[in-house]
Amino acid sequence: MPDDPRMSAPTARSVTLHRTSLGHYEVRNVRGGTMTVGNGDGADFTPVELLLAALGSCTSADVDYIVSKRAEPDSLSAHVTADKIRDEAGRNRLVNLAVELAAAFPEGADGDAAREVLPRAAQLSHDRLCTVSRTIELGSPIDTHTVS
């Protein structure tokens, strides 16, 4: 909805999807970036994988900005997992979401400072900073409607 006045607010975020074939879509952001999303029958990420990637990248970015003030990580990675279930009412959802962060820092005082702040940075991301994890945990109504 490019003419949606809500999308001009500084807090607004949006992407647009266009069908390329059955179960496959091109996603475009307002900066012109594109990616493809699929239904799991090829290499494209599925919607669930994108949600997990959003959770992991949001958490990783928060942690990266905090620890990098002390020392540049030698490596920083996240492994995000969840179980997809169908609940008693027949609704699909994810449970057991988990983000496992792994980081390595150089030897020395700066690396020690980064290692020391790493657990606090991860907790701060979870508790306050990561928009994705906060939205998942707190929930938010979704207005789904059609236009012709």
Side-chain angles (χ1 to χ4, degrees), residues 1-9 12-14 16 30 143 145 147:
M1 279 192 263
D3 295 330
D4 188 337
R6 295 174 295 175
M7 293 301 108
S8 63
R13 304 292 185 268
S14 70
T16 302
V30 296
D143 177 16
H145 59 275
V147 294

Side-chain angles (χ1 to χ4, degrees), residues 48 51-52 55 80-85 93-98:
V48 169
L51 179 65
L52 298 178
L55 176 58
V80 185
T81 58
D83 295 314
K84 183 178 176 184
I85 66 161
R93 64 186 177 99
L94 296 177
V95 296
N96 303 322
L97 282 95

Side-chain angles (χ1 to χ4, degrees), residues 42-118:
D44 293 335
F45 284 88
T46 67
V48 169
E49 292 166 338
L50 288 176
L51 179 65
L52 298 178
L55 176 58
S57 58
C58 183
T59 302
S60 295
D62 290 342
V63 169
D64 195 12
Y65 279 100
I66 294 169
V67 300
S68 291
K69 291 177 182 176
R70 281 97 179 145
E72 183 68 22
D74 291 332
S75 65
L76 177 63
S77 61
H79 183 71
V80 185
T81 58
D83 295 314
K84 183 178 176 184
I85 66 161
R86 184 170 298 224
D87 66 19
E88 306 79 32
R91 299 171 299 207
N92 294 333
R93 64 186 177 99
L94 296 177
V95 296
N96 303 322
L97 282 95
V99 179
E100 180 181 84
L101 294 166
F105 300 98
E107 293 300 319
D110 291 346
D112 291 344
R115 275 185 288 283
E116 184 177 325
V117 78
L118 180 62

